[in-house]
């Protein structure tokens, strides 16, 4: 009888799901290795976004990533007795999901470059550049993306102080010369230069914050998708336990 079959016969510790929030990763591993599926579910919820983003960076497909994530969790569940208490759980899980994602690519016949491989520099050749689309504008998503970026920039321009906004509109958007903008607004050329410089700095700061926030939210994995993966893994665990019973 396998380890997990034995665990299935033990009564699960009576722990409310909310109470598991305060448990550390090593504590959750200990509970999950002892057969507590609620503890393993908490492990999945705690690390779902990290592992989804990791696998997504390799597979570039949400559906393939979710499948890989479930398989990776199943591998991790089976290997819980081998987890060393002095290791960091997130690092251990990332290695598992990376191996699963790369394995999927290999099984599809894709040429997989090891993550530790050196990336060619410009001096070493244009291999890296050749792997990128020759013209990003040819991508079907580019029009919608440009429209979204344009709306974001327009919204940021609207937030500029009045004096800066008008100068920026003439110089940055309409591409008037300093002399033309100064003449149109009836202000010194030096004022046009200083206000345009300040307006551009404010825009860059604002857009940089927007980008930082957007990056932090990129490929988020929560809510229904998170629940679906957790439920799917728990169901696979239950089937594996059932099949291993004598």
């Amino acid at each position: 009888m396998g380890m997990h079959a034995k665990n299935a016969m033990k009564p699960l510790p009576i722990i409310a799901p909310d109470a598991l929030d305060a448990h550390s990763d090593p504590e959750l591993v200990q509970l999950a290795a002892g057969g507590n599926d609620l503890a393993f579910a908490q492990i999945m919820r705690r690390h779902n976004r990290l592992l989804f983003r990791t696998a997504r960076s390799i597979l570039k497909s949400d559906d393939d990533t979710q499948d890989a994530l479930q398989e990776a969790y199943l591998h991790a569940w089976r290997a819980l007795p081998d987890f060393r208490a002095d290791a960091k759980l997130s690092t251990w899980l990332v290695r598992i999901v990376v191996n699963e994602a790369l394995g999927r690519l290999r099984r599809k016949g894709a040429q997989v470059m090891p993550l530790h491989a050196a990336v060619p520099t410009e001096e070493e050749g244009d291999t890296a550049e050749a792997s990128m689309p020759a013209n990003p504008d040819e991508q079907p998503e580019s029009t919608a993306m440009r429209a979204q970026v344009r709306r974001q920039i327009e919204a940021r321009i609207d937030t500029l102080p009045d004096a800066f906004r008008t100068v920026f509109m003439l110089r940055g958007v309409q591409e008037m010369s300093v002399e033309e903008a100064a003449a149109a607004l009836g202000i010194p050329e030096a004022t046009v230069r200083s206000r345009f410089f300040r307006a551009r700095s404010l825009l860059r700061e604002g857009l940089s914050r927007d980008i930082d926030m957007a990056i932090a939210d990129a490929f988020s994995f929560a809510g229904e998708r998170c629940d679906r993966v957790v439920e799917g893994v728990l169901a696979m665990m239950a089937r594996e336990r059932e099949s291993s019973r004598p």
Side-chain angles (χ1 to χ4, degrees):
M1 184 183 300
M3 184 272 299
H4 293 299
K6 293 180 181 178
N7 290 342
M9 302 177 65
K10 296 179 182 179
L12 296 179
I14 306 301
I15 300 176
D18 291 345
L20 291 170
D21 292 344
H23 282 61
S24 67
D25 280 350
E27 290 170 338
L28 290 173
V29 168
Q30 187 175 11
L31 288 169
N36 190 317
D37 288 354
L38 291 178
F40 194 74
Q42 180 67 15
I43 288 173
M44 288 190 282
R45 294 186 184 280
R46 185 172 292 179
H47 298 283
N48 254 347
R49 184 154 64 174
L50 166 65
L51 300 189
F52 176 83
R53 286 172 168 174
T54 302
R56 179 64 171 70
S57 70
I58 297 170
L59 296 170
K60 297 193 293 185
S61 161
D62 284 2
D63 290 341
D64 289 347
T65 297
Q66 290 188 56
D67 291 343
L69 192 55
Q70 292 191 68
E71 285 298 325
Y73 275 132
L74 200 58
H75 292 324
W77 174 68
R78 292 171 184 148
L80 280 176
D82 300 326
F83 177 73
R84 301 191 315 276
D86 59 339
K88 190 172 182 180
L89 181 61
S90 60
T91 303
W92 185 68
L93 290 172
V94 164
R95 291 195 191 106
I96 292 175
V97 81
V98 165
N99 288 336
E100 174 63 27
L102 292 177
R104 283 173 176 265
L105 289 183
R106 293 189 185 98
R107 289 192 292 274
K108 290 182 178 181
Q111 293 293 324
V112 178
M113 178 182 292
L115 295 183
H116 60 269
V119 177
T121 63
E122 292 181 3
E123 291 76 13
E124 294 170 332
D126 56 1
T127 305
E129 183 177 351
S131 66
M132 298 295 289
N135 184 359
D137 291 339
E138 295 175 357
Q139 300 303 304
E141 307 88 353
S142 62
T143 301
M145 187 179 299
R146 286 198 303 272
Q148 183 177 356
V149 171
R150 186 195 70 242
R151 288 192 296 270
Q152 184 179 8
I153 292 173
E154 289 172 350
R156 276 292 170 186
I157 291 174
D158 284 343
T159 66
L160 291 171
D162 293 346
F164 294 169
R165 187 170 62 251
T166 304
V167 168
F168 184 83
M169 192 68 74
L170 296 182
R171 285 280 294 120
V173 180
Q174 194 60 34
E175 298 184 342
M176 278 188 177
S177 68
V178 172
E179 295 79 5
E180 290 171 334
L185 297 176
I187 57 178
E189 294 180 9
T191 302
V192 170
R193 291 190 183 93
S194 63
R195 288 183 181 178
F196 178 64
F197 177 81
R198 182 59 182 149
R200 192 165 52 181
S201 297
L202 290 171
L203 275 178
R204 285 175 175 168
E205 291 170 7
L207 290 171
S208 178
R209 286 193 298 270
D210 291 345
I211 291 171
D212 287 344
M213 292 174 65
I215 289 174
D217 292 336
F219 305 114
S220 61
F221 194 75
E224 184 180 346
R225 290 202 298 177
C226 175
D227 292 339
R228 191 159 56 242
V229 166
V230 171
E231 291 166 3
V233 175
L234 292 177
M236 289 191 293
M237 289 162 51
R239 287 195 296 269
E240 185 163 320
R241 280 199 181 106
E242 186 65 28
S243 64
S244 64
R245 287 179 179 173

